[in-house]
Amino acid sequence: MLRRRHHLPAVLRLFSTSCRHRRGHPTQPPQHPSLASLPPPVAKKVPFTVSEHGRSWSDPYHWMRDTSDPDLPALLEAENAYADAFVASAGGLRARLAAEMRARLPPSAASPPQPWGPWLYYQYVPEGKEYPVLSRRLRSSGGLARAALDFISGSKKEQVLLDWNEIAEKFGYVHIGSCRISPDHRFLAYTLDISGDEFFSLEVKDIQSTNTIFSSPHKGIVSLAWSCNSDNLFYTVCDETLRPNQVLCKDVQSDQTGFLVFMEKDINCCVDITSTKDFKYVYVMESGHVRGGLWPVQKRADKVQYFLEHHNGFFYILTNAPLEGTETANGGYYLARCRAEKSEMDKWQVVALPGSDCTFQDMDIFHEQLVLFIRKSGLPLICSINLPIDVDFQEQKELDDLDPWFFPVPSGLYSIVPGSNNDFMSSTYRLVVSSPVLPDLTVDYNMRMKTFAILHQEEVTGLSSNLCTGGLQSNITGIQQNLQLIEDSQSWSDLSKLFSCERVQVISHDGVSVPLVILYSREAHRRGESPGVLYGYGAYGEDLDKSWCSDRLSLLARGWVVAFADVRGGGDSSWHLAGTKANKINSIKDFAACGTHLIKEGLVHKNRLCAIGCSAGGLLVGAVINMLPDLFSAAVLKVPFLDICNTMMDSTLPLTILDYEEFGDPNISTEFDTIRSYSPYDNLSPGICYPPVLVTASFNDTRVGVWEAAKWVSKVRDITCQSCSWSVILKTNMQSGHFGEGGRFMHCDETAFEYAFLMKALGLDDNDRAAK
């Protein structure tokens, strides 16, 4: 889940390449005397032939697939040393960037407490620590203001439920997957990964005694759901390919192991499990056969999904099941309901259709309201509808017929992330609202009174006074100040006076308009001269993250443009499908079109455009580099999916079979041809000058094998322009997994490394114009 011409100082000439200089690149030919002593590592070659669909080709780096081969970690360590030397040659730039980013973080941070039952739950990061702590205090009877005063004074004793820092100090790595508190608030169940391989274990803790009362003998726990009486915990277990395929149930106060409730035998499907908001039902998603007490919602149908909630004897269902005669027939979601009785499960009533230029994304439910997440004209919206719904179901209704209250949100670009919102009886809905120019706002919406209150805005310390505008000068640092905002704060404080942030439409190869968000400093940007970085992802229907990130200030203050390409493959269902399987080329050409737009419109200098892609976004960027090697002057590929053809042909690898829906099934000749046509590893061009690229990997990554990055870098060095390839570097975390180590200070260090690489690759010196 990123500009002004400078002369190149001598120290930055190390690792530069003469070939790209001849092509008009601003870097200079190598002149540093130590260059000859720092050649890149050379991977061994082992003859290996791949055969598929009547064709054969050589893959001498196939041996890296065996991570137990001692030559692999030795190679990765050598690559790490080379990468460190490359970035270190920028004369301390990495350290300065990291110091800037760390200085913007507050010493400690806390989320406003959120009521649930008799308790106030909250998270905070202790001063100087990397990770959060989950805690609670008893709720006061005097409302939120009284509760906040009790919180500040400490009159209600704090109970620490889970401290990420303790786990990280014990094991060296921590990743909490699911975390669920029982309905009676007595137990905490959570899944834990201490290696990065995402085969999570399960721990159940008695909160009162602080004792761990159950540790699952299984690895690969994914989802958790409590029964209404808090005696039983349901959980899913995945197989060796990370496919959740079993549902088990455990009496948490019994010594007996969990018993099997359901097993999914279809290797193309996985299962998920959750409780309804009122805890009256637990439901299994993606189940196709009924077993022991499970009610069928509908028979399984390809690409059809159902999401259920319960309210007052009715199941409310968000689904994309075909509905003849409506716009939802093309796969869009709508809201339906049926009575919560086994014999009535097939008697649906359509509650609401989304209407024109609108899609339903998700829902939540409370005692008096139903909440709908919507996308309208490409932007997110949220509304609440009063319950119970009493409408005439003889004719289908659109959303507006239900008198929805749309939550007030800032104008322009923003992202919305819901809070925990666990309390079914609450009439308040919590959101975190953010944008590229809006530090995270925690907002409570009173759905009964139709009002809202801004509780908290993310503190960004270390900003000079000229950056503190529009209300940010009084950075909100604690709950005491939040009290002043509860009654009277209806304004959105952002940095739009300092930074331009606009959304434009870029015409792609087939005439389709692709949204592109462009961010830059109004003061530091230099038209036609500035460097820039373009982010992309474009897979699994996921939106590209455009929320506030204080790290970007280090680029923006130096004149960089930061742009986000919402290419096909992400977004809602139709936009997603337009970038999958045979349509994947659309994602790639969309990204190329967005990069070209930045240059043609003079926003970025033609020799200073960079790209960043993570995971499937790395595939996107890698494919564009093959297609247009001159478009980007540098790139960062983070845990990238580069060897897609070989990976998709190995069904024993985690997630491979499930990815057939996204990228295609290589066992089908035509789909194999499509995958191979854009595979970054298989389409490297011999002798061609490739731009400087930083590739990052994690040794314990089970989503994208560490060998994908290692193979790609080795092949680039082997067959492309030898001089240019010296600026292609590989940095591997030998202890973590796909999502890195996650600590807030470690994140700063990783980002500083990436930014320093890009600046070094472009030959830009550091004129110390970062926000201080």
Side-chain angles (χ1 to χ4, degrees), residues 432-449:
V432 176
V433 182
S434 179
S435 85
V437 295
L438 178 67
D440 291 4
L441 283 170
T442 303
V443 187
D444 272 0
Y445 293 86
N446 188 316
M447 298 179 288
R448 184 183 299 158
M449 304 299 295

Side-chain angles (χ1 to χ4, degrees), residues 178-347:
S178 299
C179 187
R180 299 286 183 268
I181 294 167
S182 62
D184 65 0
H185 303 270
R186 180 178 174 183
F187 303 111
L188 170 68
Y190 62 95
T191 60
L192 173 64
D193 173 18
I194 56 174
S195 68
D197 64 3
E198 294 188 73
F199 281 93
F200 290 86
S201 61
L202 171 62
E203 305 287 321
V204 181
K205 180 179 180 181
D206 186 318
I207 298 175
Q208 296 298 331
S209 68
T210 71
N211 294 326
T212 297
I213 61 173
F214 175 67
S215 294
S216 171
H218 300 96
K219 282 276 194 175
I221 311 300
V222 182
S223 302
L224 307 175
W226 285 100
S227 64
C228 185
N229 61 10
S230 302
D231 288 339
N232 296 292
L233 178 68
F234 296 84
Y235 56 95
T236 59
V237 182
C238 64
D239 61 17
E240 64 278 0
T241 67
L242 285 181
R243 178 181 70 95
N245 67 328
Q246 297 182 61
V247 177
L248 281 76
C249 180
K250 172 73 171 74
D251 182 338
V252 295
Q253 299 190 74
S254 167
D255 293 333
Q256 295 181 351
T257 59
F259 63 88
L260 183 66
V261 175
F262 176 83
M263 175 176 285
E264 175 57 74
K265 295 182 178 180
D266 188 339
I267 60 173
N268 297 293
C269 297
C270 54
V271 296
D272 194 12
I273 190 166
T274 189
S275 306
T276 57
K277 191 66 164 282
D278 58 6
F279 288 103
K280 291 186 177 180
Y281 295 89
V282 172
Y283 67 95
V284 177
M285 290 178 282
E286 293 291 293
S287 57
H289 305 281
V290 182
R291 303 219 181 166
L294 294 181
W295 297 359
V297 175
Q298 290 284 325
K299 289 185 177 181
R300 177 182 293 159
D302 188 34
K303 297 183 178 64
V304 175
Q305 294 182 308
Y306 313 91
F307 303 94
L308 274 70
E309 273 296 354
H310 176 260
H311 182 272
N312 196 27
F314 283 94
F315 285 128
Y316 285 83
I317 307 160
L318 190 66
T319 182
N320 62 344
L323 196 61
E324 293 183 5
T326 72
E327 293 183 5
T328 62
N330 62 7
Y333 287 83
Y334 59 93
L335 183 64
R337 78 176 185 183
C338 67
R339 291 200 172 273
E341 300 173 14
K342 187 173 182 179
S343 61
E344 300 288 316
M345 291 296 292
D346 60 345
K347 299 174 182 177

Side-chain angles (χ1 to χ4, degrees), residues 701-723:
D701 193 340
T702 51
R703 292 176 181 254
V704 180
V706 65
W707 57 86
E708 299 213 15
K711 288 177 65 176
W712 188 87
V713 169
S714 297
K715 189 174 180 180
V716 167
R717 298 232 187 93
D718 183 27
I719 72 168
T720 70
C721 172
Q722 185 176 13
S723 181

Side-chain angles (χ1 to χ4, degrees), residues 340-605:
E341 300 173 14
K342 187 173 182 179
S343 61
E344 300 288 316
M345 291 296 292
D346 60 345
K347 299 174 182 177
W348 288 16
Q349 300 170 315
V350 176
V351 175
L353 302 174
S356 61
D357 196 25
C358 178
T359 58
F360 292 166
Q361 303 288 310
D362 202 354
M363 72 170 174
D364 203 344
I365 206 160
F366 296 84
H367 179 57
E368 295 180 343
Q369 290 88 18
L370 182 145
V371 176
L372 276 175
F373 286 69
I374 299 165
R375 186 180 296 274
K376 188 173 180 64
S377 301
L379 294 175
L381 293 173
I382 298 184
C383 70
S384 63
I385 301 166
N386 289 335
L387 294 174
I389 295 175
D390 185 16
V391 296
D392 181 7
F393 287 105
Q394 297 303 312
E395 58 182 68
Q396 294 175 348
K397 302 290 184 180
E398 291 194 355
L399 178 61
D400 289 344
D401 296 325
L402 301 181
D403 191 27
W405 177 56
F406 285 90
F407 294 3
V409 291
S411 59
L413 300 166
Y414 53 87
S415 63
I416 298 174
V417 177
S420 55
N421 297 307
N422 287 319
D423 196 340
F424 177 74
M425 300 305 296
S426 177
S427 61
T428 299
Y429 199 80
R430 177 163 296 178
L431 294 175
V432 176
V433 182
S434 179
S435 85
V437 295
L438 178 67
D440 291 4
L441 283 170
T442 303
V443 187
D444 272 0
Y445 293 86
N446 188 316
M447 298 179 288
R448 184 183 299 158
M449 304 299 295
K450 298 185 178 179
T451 60
F452 72 98
I454 299 173
L455 299 182
H456 179 265
Q457 185 158 33
E458 179 184 327
E459 179 185 358
V460 183
T461 64
L463 293 178
S464 58
S465 59
N466 67 324
L467 281 177
C468 298
T469 185
L472 285 181
Q473 193 163 7
S474 57
N475 285 321
I476 303 163
T477 58
I479 295 175
Q480 180 108 37
Q481 289 157 298
N482 292 339
L483 294 176
Q484 302 168 7
L485 296 173
I486 290 173
E487 297 298 329
D488 184 22
S489 181
Q490 306 293 313
S491 62
W492 311 105
S493 300
D494 64 23
L495 294 169
S496 57
K497 291 182 180 179
L498 293 174
F499 302 108
S500 171
C501 183
E502 62 176 338
R503 184 173 184 252
V504 300
Q505 299 292 328
V506 175
I507 304 302
S508 191
H509 67 106
D510 54 358
V512 172
S513 295
V514 179
L516 175 66
V517 174
I518 305 169
L519 173 69
Y520 58 84
S521 166
R522 298 185 187 276
E523 177 185 357
H525 178 252
R526 297 293 182 266
R527 188 167 186 84
E529 296 184 11
S530 282
V533 59
L534 179 64
Y535 286 84
Y537 186 69
Y540 304 106
E542 295 289 335
D543 288 325
L544 188 61
D545 182 18
K546 294 179 283 291
S547 58
W548 168 260
C549 176
S550 63
D551 294 346
R552 294 190 199 117
L553 294 174
S554 290
L555 293 181
L556 297 172
R558 288 173 169 85
W560 284 63
V561 171
V562 179
F564 307 88
D566 286 315
V567 303
R568 280 171 281 187
D572 58 28
S573 58
S574 59
W575 196 247
H576 172 219
L577 291 175
T580 62
K581 293 188 173 181
N583 296 321
K584 189 60 188 175
I585 193 65
N586 289 333
S587 307
I588 298 163
K589 292 189 174 182
D590 288 352
F591 194 71
C594 289
T596 301
H597 175 88
L598 292 172
I599 294 172
K600 285 187 174 180
E601 294 300 314
L603 291 160
V604 178
H605 187 280

